[in-house]
Amino acid sequence: QVQLVESGGGPVQAGGSLRLFCEASGRISIYSMGWFRQAPGKEREFVAAISRSGGNTYYVDSAKGRFTISRDNAKNTVYLQMNSLKPEDTAVYYCAAGQFFGDSEWAGEYDYWGQGTQVTVSS
């Protein structure tokens, strides 16, 4: 079992950048990791995923070219670098860990979730 804690969210103007952190209580090298987000009144949606070694990454189309997911297994931390932020990126961002191989956009594949961190992008 692993506990996940997200941080790094906050208010930012459109066009700005934020780096989200997901710190785990245990070893994350045995988990595939993902970031999801949920905007008010909307369902949770996939943002990005990374395989156990970090060799494979996968993004939702709206994040490609703007967001980068990475991980440091030695620090048990996963990152989401978000550039060129848009108001439609406003949401609570969640980190998730799953005991599967590869990367996945399906929330049901993930076993552990953090409490989320709020990102608010103003125009």
Side-chain angles (χ1 to χ4, degrees):
Q1 191 170 358
V2 64
Q3 292 183 329
L4 306 173
V5 179
E6 303 95 334
S7 62
V12 64
Q13 290 191 329
S17 298
L18 282 175
R19 193 182 199 198
L20 303 185
F21 300 80
C22 172
E23 296 178 273
S25 62
R27 186 165 58 106
I28 66 167
S29 60
I30 61 173
Y31 298 103
S32 295
M33 303 295 295
W35 285 97
F36 291 75
R37 67 186 178 187
Q38 187 166 18
K42 296 187 177 181
E43 293 189 353
R44 189 172 299 189
E45 68 168 350
F46 168 77
V47 177
I50 188 166
S51 60
R52 297 183 182 199
S53 67
N56 292 311
T57 57
Y58 181 60
Y59 299 90
V60 66
D61 285 348
S62 60
K64 291 177 181 177
R66 299 189 301 127
F67 293 5
T68 302
I69 187 171
S70 61
R71 64 191 296 161
D72 186 336
N73 287 343
K75 295 182 178 180
N76 293 316
T77 302
V78 180
Y79 310 93
L80 185 67
Q81 177 67 43
M82 305 188 295
N83 299 327
S84 302
L85 283 162
K86 305 175 181 180
E88 51 264 43
D89 294 318
T90 295
V92 177
Y93 283 71
Y94 297 91
C95 175
Q99 297 177 336
F100 58 89
F101 290 94
D103 48 54
S104 176
E105 65 181 296
W106 302 110
E109 296 246 43
Y110 294 85
D111 304 291
Y112 305 105
W113 294 80
Q115 84 292 344
T117 184
Q118 176 71 48
V119 172
T120 302
V121 185
S122 59
S123 58

